[in-house]
């Protein structure tokens, strides 16, 4: 039940994070290379971060104020009255904790967005590794102290976001502030309009995708409880590796193609995108075939209760490989928009 509840919490975080930030992080990645080229990066970073903090603060406050109805809707939906009553008591606290973690996620993703725009891929990898190892270490400590619950793991997830966000955030600020060439560029009075105009579509796309991912588990939770959600989520985590691989490639390709466009022109950028799409697509299809063929062996990494999930693994793989292909579309639209 706790694993199923944790899966619901993580999905809620994924749905609400782009909504609460209005998709500004994607827009920041889009415009950082432009302001870097103009020599006005520092001013853009300061102003965009201030706008993001204002949106984040308002969103976190609203979720906390309406924690009771939101908590009941997200975490205590069940046809069984006993189950609904059991999880309903903790639902408001889970909603408040989710609000805090959403705020940390938005700041964390903002730092990643700036670093992506600056093509600081080594720094991104180190920051992600620090976050991952922190969460793993804290989770193992919680298990050793017999405090393993969905609430505890969510709180530890927030801590594992906070520490690298503070450390790498101050480091990034010092680095960008020290680039004197990035302080003297022309001021753009329309920076907020540009960001919000771009972020409207990224917000809609992000929320639509996350809702499509969230709804099946929400319905399972409502009809069959957290146990069914646990099996469904465990198998989904296997398929999610496909999308993670695609997103990692897209992150690199997005900024590389943008820089190629600015330095070598549209044709070179389109060729670069086409090669990346075909190479990544072939590799992911081969990985899906291997995972589907050995699904009964792979499911053994979980407890015996999760074995029925092997039957739905190929469907999950199909879903995520299509999602992986679609992840390249924003780059194509980005090139069209630049033209």
């Amino acid at each position: 039940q706790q694993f199923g509840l944790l899966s619901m919490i993580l999905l809620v975080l994924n749905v609400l994070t782009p909504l609460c930030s209005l998709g500004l992080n994607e827009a920041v990645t889009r415009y950082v290379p432009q302001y870097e080229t103009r020599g006005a990066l520092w001013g853009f970073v300061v102003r965009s971060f201030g706008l993001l903090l204002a949106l984040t603060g308002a969103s976190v406050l609203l979720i906390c104020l309406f924690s009771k109805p939101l908590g009941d809707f997200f975490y205590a939906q069940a046809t069984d009255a006993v189950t609904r009553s059991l999880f309903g008591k903790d639902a408001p606290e889970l909603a408040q904790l989710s609000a805090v973690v959403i705020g940390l996620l938005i700041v964390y993703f903002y730092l990643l967005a700036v670093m992506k725009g600056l093509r600081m891929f080594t720094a991104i990898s180190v920051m992600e590794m620090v976050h991952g190892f922190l969460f793993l270490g804290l989770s193992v400590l919680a298990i050793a102290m017999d405090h393993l619950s969905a609430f505890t793991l969510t709180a530890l997830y927030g801590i594992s976001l906070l520490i690298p966000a503070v450390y790498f955030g101050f480091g990034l600020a010092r680095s960008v502030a020290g680039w004197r060439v990035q302080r003297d560029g022309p001021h753009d009075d329309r920076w907020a309009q540009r960001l919000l105009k771009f972020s409207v579509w990224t917000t809609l796309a992000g929320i639509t995708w996350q809702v499509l991912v969230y709804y099946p588990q929400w319905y399972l939770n409502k009809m069959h409880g957290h146990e069914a959600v646990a099996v469904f989520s465990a198998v989904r985590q296997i398929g999610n590796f496909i999308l993670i691989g695609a997103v990692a490639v897209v992150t690199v390709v997005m900024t590389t193609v943008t820089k190629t466009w600015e330095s070598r022109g549209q044709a070179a950028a389109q060729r670069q995108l086409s090669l990346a799409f075909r190479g990544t697509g072939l590799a992911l299809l081969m990985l899906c075939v291997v995972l589907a063929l050995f699904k009964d062996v792979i499911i053994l990494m979980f407890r015996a209760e999760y074995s029925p999930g092997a039957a739905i693994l190929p469907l999950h793989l199909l879903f995520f490989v299509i999602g992986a292909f679609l992840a390249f579309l924003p780059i194509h639209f980005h090139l069209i928009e630049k033209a």
Side-chain angles (χ1 to χ4, degrees):
Q1 285 188 340
Q2 289 299 311
F3 180 70
L5 179 58
L6 178 63
S7 300
M8 295 295 297
I9 293 172
L10 294 177
L11 275 173
V12 169
L13 298 181
N14 290 334
V15 171
L16 293 185
T17 296
L19 177 62
C20 293
S21 64
L22 294 182
L24 282 180
N25 290 329
E26 295 293 333
V28 167
T29 300
R30 161 72 174 81
Y31 284 105
V32 159
Q34 287 192 16
Y35 283 93
E36 180 191 11
T37 302
R38 298 174 187 175
L41 179 62
W42 175 245
F44 173 74
V45 168
V46 171
R47 290 190 294 270
S48 61
F49 187 61
L51 176 61
L52 192 76
L53 283 183
L55 291 172
T56 301
S59 300
V60 170
L61 180 60
L62 282 174
I63 295 173
C64 290
L65 288 176
F66 295 97
S67 59
K68 181 65 171 69
L70 290 175
D72 289 341
F73 177 77
F74 288 129
Y75 306 130
Q77 286 280 352
T79 54
D80 181 10
V82 176
T83 303
R84 187 165 59 248
S85 174
L86 176 64
F87 288 98
K89 293 184 295 184
D90 299 327
E93 292 183 2
L94 287 173
Q96 293 167 6
L97 178 61
S98 299
V100 174
V101 176
I102 286 169
L104 293 172
L105 273 170
I106 291 173
V107 174
Y108 184 87
F109 286 151
Y110 176 84
L111 297 176
L112 289 179
V114 174
M115 288 190 284
K116 288 175 187 176
L118 294 174
R119 302 163 303 283
M120 301 170 67
F121 300 120
T122 301
I124 292 172
S125 300
V126 173
M127 184 174 171
E128 293 277 57
M129 287 178 63
V130 169
H131 162 59
F133 281 121
L134 269 175
F135 185 48
L136 176 62
L138 292 172
S139 300
V140 171
L141 184 62
I143 294 172
M145 298 177 66
D146 198 25
H147 286 291
L148 192 62
S149 67
F151 186 92
T152 300
L153 288 176
T154 304
L156 295 179
Y157 182 65
I159 294 172
S160 70
L161 289 168
L162 174 63
I163 294 174
V166 171
Y167 180 80
F168 286 90
F170 279 111
L172 180 63
R174 284 197 303 268
S175 297
V176 177
W179 298 344
R180 292 189 177 276
V181 69
Q182 294 298 333
R183 288 176 170 270
D184 303 326
H187 177 69
D188 183 7
D189 294 328
R190 300 179 59 203
W191 66 271
Q193 181 181 346
R194 294 177 190 276
L195 280 178
L196 293 172
K197 183 179 179 181
F198 186 88
S199 68
V200 167
W201 299 107
T202 57
T203 301
L204 290 175
I207 292 173
T208 301
W209 169 260
Q210 294 299 340
V211 167
L212 288 173
V213 173
Y214 170 76
Y215 179 75
Q217 293 189 229
W218 179 84
Y219 187 77
L220 274 177
N221 181 59
K222 181 177 180 180
M223 301 303 298
H224 301 290
H226 294 317
E227 292 89 347
V229 173
V231 175
F232 185 86
S233 300
V235 178
R236 182 182 285 272
Q237 293 305 313
I238 300 173
N240 199 38
F241 284 114
I242 302 297
L243 189 58
I244 291 173
V247 170
V249 174
V250 167
T251 298
V252 177
V253 172
M254 179 70 161
T255 51
T256 304
V257 165
T258 300
K259 200 66 178 179
T260 300
W261 173 286
E262 295 171 354
S263 60
R264 295 162 51 196
Q266 179 183 7
Q270 290 286 7
R271 287 196 301 270
Q272 204 169 47
L273 174 60
S274 177
L275 178 61
F277 175 76
R278 286 179 290 172
T280 304
L282 180 60
L284 292 179
L285 284 173
M286 292 175 63
L287 179 58
C288 286
V289 170
V290 172
L291 291 175
L293 289 175
F294 293 95
K295 63 181 186 296
D296 293 315
V297 176
I298 294 172
I299 203 67
L300 294 178
M301 72 174 70
F302 301 104
R303 293 167 55 182
E305 293 89 339
Y306 291 84
S307 57
I312 61 173
L313 179 57
L315 290 176
H316 276 296
L317 293 173
L318 177 62
F319 175 81
F320 280 111
V321 79
I322 293 174
F325 292 155
L326 293 176
F328 281 85
L329 270 181
I331 306 178
H332 177 67
F333 294 146
H334 168 57
L335 293 180
I336 295 175
E337 190 254 349
K338 284 180 69 68

